[in-house]
Amino acid sequence: MPDTLPLPLQRHPLNRLRQLPVRRIICFVPFVLVAVWAVGNWPLVASGVSRLGGADISWLLMGAVVTGLCWVAASCVRQGTVVERLPTGRLLASQFAAGAANHLLPAGLGAHVVTLRFLRGCGIPLDRSTAALALYSLVEAVARIGLLLGLVLAFPDALRLDELVPPGSTVPTALLVAVAVIGAAVIVLLSIPRLRRFVAGFLRTALTDARALHKRPARALALWGGALAFPLLQAAVLVCVALALELPVSWPYIVIAYLAASIAAGFIPAPGGIGSVEPALAVALVTVGAPLVVATATVLGFRFLTVWMPLLPGVAVLAALVRWRVL
């Protein structure tokens, strides 16, 4: 009789498949997204890869080194958002893993989720961890926009905005939509007392923490210094790739193109910017005077160094941190 019984439930192959941790399966989503984008844009990818074959390898290696410094800058910003001292090694590992997680959810939510779990694991309460994420997003946006405005004032002829803004009522329509969205959000906030109390409490916590952080010079320096360094380092990677391909555009114009494209792509909720950063950056480079073919190859080289090359080790670190319950 026992010989005729089915396999035990825990040994059944289908049950083993069901028991696979969902978080481990999600770790492979970035590879699927990159593959889908590459297949959908294969002619563009093929021409860019062909052009990259003749690039100066020394400049590409320099770009890879600068890419590594980007995670150091991101770690500095994260440390600057909380008063407590965070463990340096685990903080750096969490930001490296956050780069891979950023390709799971749109608008940088993947990186925020990883950082939130890391801060909670360091004993920081949920309300203060959430306020730290909000402060990070605010400071990062202010630093990026401030850098762009400063460089545009220094090089007013860099971006030919008349070629980017279509004629007609596109801009007024966009402004009306933005005002309508903000107005709707205010109405919803005022009409729901529980939501209003939650937002008020969150703002009080965020402002209290922000004041405490700016009273400590080391935290303020890490916060603002890292927020300014991160986009500049990312732009430096793009400059390295441009030099490797002998792009006929001066480096300040390339930095302006990167800042403008990253800000524009941030309004498109694509996971990791896949499918939004590439065209925005290519258009920005063409706008500052780059030939289309070389601009395309430059964008692909930049994304390879900053996204595709670190993706596999980032996923491995993410899975390890999840398994070790650091996240």
Side-chain angles (χ1 to χ4, degrees):
M1 182 66 177
D3 294 338
T4 62
L5 291 176
L7 290 171
L9 184 59
Q10 65 272 18
R11 296 175 56 190
H12 196 280
L14 291 179
N15 189 63
R16 287 183 181 180
L17 181 61
R18 296 189 192 100
Q19 289 178 347
L20 284 174
V22 175
R23 287 177 293 186
R24 294 184 184 178
I25 297 175
I26 290 178
C27 288
F28 292 96
V29 172
F31 298 104
V32 177
L33 293 176
V34 172
V36 170
W37 180 87
V39 171
N41 299 270
W42 183 247
L44 182 67
V45 172
S47 62
V49 170
S50 175
R51 184 82 184 193
L52 282 170
D56 187 342
I57 190 65
S58 60
W59 279 113
L60 293 180
L61 291 176
M62 180 63 70
V65 172
V66 177
T67 299
L69 296 177
C70 293
W71 295 302
V72 177
S75 300
C76 289
V77 185
R78 297 295 188 182
Q79 175 62 84
T81 59
V82 293
V83 177
E84 292 83 354
R85 176 73 176 179
L86 300 175
T88 305
R90 283 185 287 170
L91 173 60
L92 186 58
S94 70
Q95 294 312 293
F96 185 60
N102 207 36
H103 295 79
L104 303 176
L105 298 172
L109 294 179
H112 287 330
V113 169
V114 169
T115 303
L116 179 63
R117 293 183 65 88
F118 172 73
L119 294 177
R120 296 288 291 122
C122 292
I124 300 176
L126 179 60
D127 57 343
R128 294 189 55 238
S129 297
T130 308
L133 297 182
L135 180 60
Y136 172 88
S137 299
L138 176 62
V139 170
E140 194 273 342
V142 170
R144 199 174 290 258
I145 293 174
L147 285 171
L148 177 61
L149 292 177
L151 286 171
V152 168
L153 289 176
F155 303 93
D157 58 339
L159 287 176
R160 297 188 290 270
L161 296 179
D162 55 329
E163 298 181 6
L164 294 177
V165 179
S169 59
T170 302
V171 174
T173 301
L175 291 176
L176 288 176
V177 171
V179 171
V181 170
I182 295 174
V186 172
I187 292 174
V188 171
L189 182 63
L190 295 177
S191 60
I192 304 178
R194 181 175 295 181
L195 178 62
R196 186 170 64 250
R197 288 193 297 269
F198 170 79
V199 172
F202 171 78
L203 291 176
R204 281 194 299 269
T205 300
L207 291 175
T208 300
D209 281 8
R211 284 195 295 266
L213 288 166
H214 284 84
K215 290 179 181 178
R216 304 183 63 172
R219 292 294 182 267
L221 179 61
L223 179 65
W224 289 100
L228 290 170
F230 182 80
L232 289 177
L233 287 170
Q234 289 264 300
V237 178
L238 184 64
V239 171
C240 289
V241 178
L243 291 173
L245 293 168
E246 299 181 350
L247 188 74
V249 179
S250 61
W251 69 265
Y253 285 27
I254 297 174
V255 174
I256 291 174
Y258 165 76
L259 292 172
S262 62
I263 293 172
F267 291 98
I268 303 176
I274 296 176
S276 61
V277 171
E278 291 85 358
L281 194 50
V283 169
L285 287 174
V286 171
T287 301
V288 297
L292 179 59
V293 176
V294 187
T296 300
T298 303
V299 172
L300 289 177
F302 169 75
R303 293 293 275 176
F304 174 79
L305 290 176
T306 58
V307 177
W308 304 330
M309 186 178 69
L311 191 55
L312 181 58
V315 168
V317 172
L318 177 61
L321 293 178
V322 169
R323 182 168 184 173
W324 297 337
R325 300 191 182 280
V326 175
L327 302 180

